[in-house]
Amino acid sequence: MPRFVICFIVSFMLSIGVCRAQSVLDSILDVRPHAWWGGMVTEVSTGDTLFMRNAERSFMPASVTKLFTTAAALEQLGPDYRYVTLLYADGTQNENTLEGNLVIRGAGDPSTGAPGPNWMDLFNAFADSLLALEIHEISGDVIGDDNVFDDTPLGSDWSWEDLVYGYAAQINGLTFHDAIVNVRVHPTQPGALGRLSVTPDLMDYFTLYNQSVTLPRGQPLEEGHAREPNSNRITISSAVPLGRSDPEKLAVHNPTLYFVHGLRASLASRGILVRGNSVDVDNLPAPPDYQGARVVARHTSAPLSELVATVNKESHNLYAEHLLKTLGVEHPDPDENSKPGSAAMGVAAAMRTYAAAKMDTSRLQLVDGSGLSRKNLVTPAMTMKLLRYMALHPYTSVRESFLTSLAVGGRDGTLEYRFTGNAAGFGRVRAKTGSLGNVSSLAGYVTREDGSMLAFVVFANHFQGRHNSIHAIQEAFVNVLVHYYN
């Protein structure tokens, strides 16, 4: 249903004196009766509930799962937690040569070599550290150690159709550039192949098959991307009209070797020769002996508070998955029969936070950190308990880091283009969005005109068609909360 129709219905109901929040909000959701709706609205400071609908029923939350992940990470790891990636010289230095291997030991940092204009800074800093030690040659291999996490690169029950795309990048203890490559198809002449541009330009790590085609101006763009399983053979078959281009973030296979490959390229550009191979630690007969190696460089990440903001504002799946596995590394549950760096151990560790929020954890089903899996099941009531728990958290730094990590309506993140114009929620809403096929979620906080804060949850499952009309209903729902006092 068009957005203006929804807005008219809301205005009409308020004007005729509908005096209960339950009635008003139910009527907004009933505009789309064939969706399965769940929701809850609660006054944060008092706990008074203004609205409930299927509050104890289970829903797929999609990326609202990230609220659960980041809350547990902030509480248990702390907002000041940082990852430290170490570069080791495993051998002896003979004049300008390291007689041995160079080893990069990952800590699970999702942000190393993050996409952007400075993606080479990390590798250049490592090269500078070697040059400062007058090391100009490595006689052995460059080894990437990703063993801080388990070797499961994907979340449980992720759709195979997603795996070529950057939002389903492989989870890995040693990662670089979000484990993606940016490929853009530029039109040339109608009927001819498009031109590809690639960042980072590490073309000897990928095999790109360009089957794209240029269309006449004005025709619709058709995307086409495929990657052969367990390989970096990628086919680009997009049809791109003149005047447009097709940018896409594509997931790479084996982020460990991707990291090592990028480092070697940087070392070569700085005149440091590597005579050995690029090696994934999993292909060695035994892991490196760190007792006999020396640290020659280290990289420290931004604090967790900043990483959490990336997770929640941008809905960054890879960062969320890394945070979940990090929980399993740092705070393993002794009763959980899983590897410390696994998603299952991360969920077991996170359950401590959910129990502290007074959830019935026996009914809480989480299998990944991002919400890409359709096996995640939560109730509106559980989500509300989490929202109130974090908004009233006794540690100011945890509370503020969580609240400020959320996207702001009409201003940034995944809400930049929602609650815009004259919408009541503009600037007053802090929330997390969630979207999968037939799933749309929105949960967070709204500040009312009297300064009080409401927490809200709106889940829609099992609807057909596009998400736009569901978004309009969710926004109308939240906009009413700004003015509603009963």
Side-chain angles (χ1 to χ4, degrees):
M1 181 171 290
R3 188 182 302 265
F4 77 88
V5 176
I6 296 169
C7 292
F8 172 79
I9 292 171
V10 172
S11 299
F12 175 74
M13 294 198 64
L14 290 175
S15 68
I16 64 174
V18 177
C19 61
R20 292 189 57 81
Q22 184 75 40
S23 299
V24 174
L25 298 175
D26 266 330
S27 298
I28 293 172
L29 301 186
D30 287 339
V31 170
R32 188 72 180 269
H34 299 299
W36 179 246
W37 289 102
M40 197 166 179
V41 179
T42 301
E43 210 285 325
V44 170
S45 62
T46 65
D48 292 340
T49 297
L50 301 182
F51 173 81
M52 296 177 67
R53 179 153 169 168
N54 295 320
E56 297 293 345
R57 297 293 183 93
S58 293
F59 288 79
M60 288 179 284
S63 282
V64 166
T65 302
K66 294 180 176 72
L67 294 179
F68 289 79
T69 304
T70 55
L74 284 169
E75 180 172 75
Q76 297 188 40
L77 300 174
D80 295 327
Y81 179 88
R82 295 173 186 259
Y83 293 92
V84 180
T85 303
L86 299 175
L87 182 68
Y88 287 85
D90 187 8
T92 59
Q93 184 172 343
N94 182 8
E95 296 183 346
N96 298 124
T97 300
L98 171 62
E99 301 287 356
N101 301 318
L102 199 62
V103 184
I104 310 98
R105 193 177 194 184
D109 182 359
S111 64
T112 45
N118 302 318
W119 65 268
M120 286 291 290
D121 285 358
L122 168 66
F123 294 153
N124 288 335
F126 281 172
D128 287 342
S129 297
L130 293 174
L131 293 173
L133 295 171
E134 299 185 346
I135 295 175
H136 296 271
E137 183 176 330
I138 314 295
S139 69
D141 301 326
V142 180
I143 301 169
D145 185 347
D146 56 17
N147 281 341
V148 65
F149 291 165
D150 67 1
D151 291 325
T152 304
L154 306 172
S156 176
D157 206 44
W158 285 8
S159 172
W160 68 270
E161 295 177 331
D162 293 336
L163 302 185
V164 66
Y165 295 107
Y167 60 80
Q170 294 183 8
I171 312 157
N172 197 67
L174 182 65
T175 199
F176 151 68
H177 204 264
D178 287 358
I180 64 168
V181 57
N182 293 309
V183 179
R184 184 183 290 267
V185 182
H186 304 269
T188 54
Q189 296 294 326
L193 287 175
R195 177 178 60 84
L196 303 184
S197 60
V198 181
T199 306
D201 186 10
L202 300 172
M203 289 302 296
D204 50 344
Y205 191 73
F206 315 102
T207 302
L208 295 183
Y209 300 99
N210 185 5
Q211 297 180 5
S212 65
V213 64
T214 301
L215 300 177
R217 190 179 302 272
Q219 291 197 13
L221 185 151
E222 298 180 11
E223 296 183 348
H225 312 92
R227 176 167 53 82
E228 294 179 28
N230 301 316
S231 80
N232 284 306
R233 295 186 292 273
I234 302 171
T235 299
I236 310 295
S237 56
S238 298
V240 184
L242 291 172
R244 299 186 63 182
S245 66
D246 176 31
E248 193 59 70
K249 299 175 181 178
L250 302 177
V252 304
H253 177 64
N254 196 334
T256 298
L257 283 181
Y258 191 35
F259 189 111
V260 171
H261 193 86
L263 176 58
R264 284 193 63 158
S266 177
L267 295 180
S269 71
R270 304 293 294 279
I272 301 175
L273 174 65
V274 177
R275 295 197 176 276
N277 300 313
S278 299
V279 178
D280 184 329
V281 71
D282 294 335
N283 294 324
L284 296 176
D289 178 14
Y290 291 106
Q291 296 296 325
R294 62 172 173 148
V295 176
V296 293
R298 66 183 65 226
H299 171 75
T300 303
S301 74
L304 182 64
S305 57
E306 293 186 23
L307 302 182
V308 163
T310 298
V311 173
N312 285 336
K313 284 186 182 293
E314 299 178 17
S315 203
H316 203 302
N317 293 332
L318 183 69
Y319 279 44
E321 299 298 345
H322 277 236
L323 295 189
L324 182 67
K325 290 195 173 187
T326 301
L327 273 170
V329 172
E330 298 288 1
H331 298 289
D333 183 343
D335 297 326
E336 170 65 28
N337 187 25
S338 300
K339 185 175 179 179
S342 65
M345 184 61 84
V347 170
M351 286 293 178
R352 300 186 187 104
T353 293
Y354 312 146
K358 308 300 183 186
M359 294 182 208
D360 179 1
T361 57
S362 67
R363 292 195 56 216
L364 175 60
Q365 180 172 296
L366 296 175
V367 299
D368 70 9
S370 65
L372 267 180
S373 177
R374 302 180 80 88
K375 286 184 176 179
N376 295 313
L377 293 173
V378 306
T379 70
M382 291 173 183
T383 310
M384 180 57 65
K385 287 183 177 180
L386 182 77
L387 290 171
R388 286 200 68 230
Y389 180 70
M390 294 304 292
L392 301 173
H393 201 280
Y395 291 101
T396 302
S397 61
V398 171
R399 179 174 68 249
E400 291 183 351
S401 294
F402 184 78
L403 294 175
T404 58
S405 75
L406 302 176
V408 180
R411 291 185 178 172
D412 63 15
T414 57
L415 291 181
E416 182 176 1
Y417 302 107
R418 297 178 65 176
F419 300 100
T420 56
N422 295 321
F426 179 83
R428 293 179 178 270
V429 177
R430 290 186 175 272
K432 181 73 199 72
T433 58
S435 182
L436 289 172
N438 315 112
V439 175
S440 181
S441 304
L442 187 66
Y445 308 93
V446 60
T447 303
R448 296 195 291 184
E449 290 184 339
D450 65 352
S452 62
M453 179 186 286
L454 298 178
F456 67 88
V457 182
V458 192
F459 290 153
N461 282 191
H462 308 299
F463 60 87
Q464 294 179 323
R466 298 176 65 84
H467 285 63
N468 291 351
S469 63
I470 297 293
H471 290 175
I473 292 170
Q474 291 168 339
E475 290 167 34
F477 183 100
V478 173
N479 284 335
V480 167
L481 302 181
V482 175
H483 301 294
Y484 202 90
Y485 288 86
N486 188 30

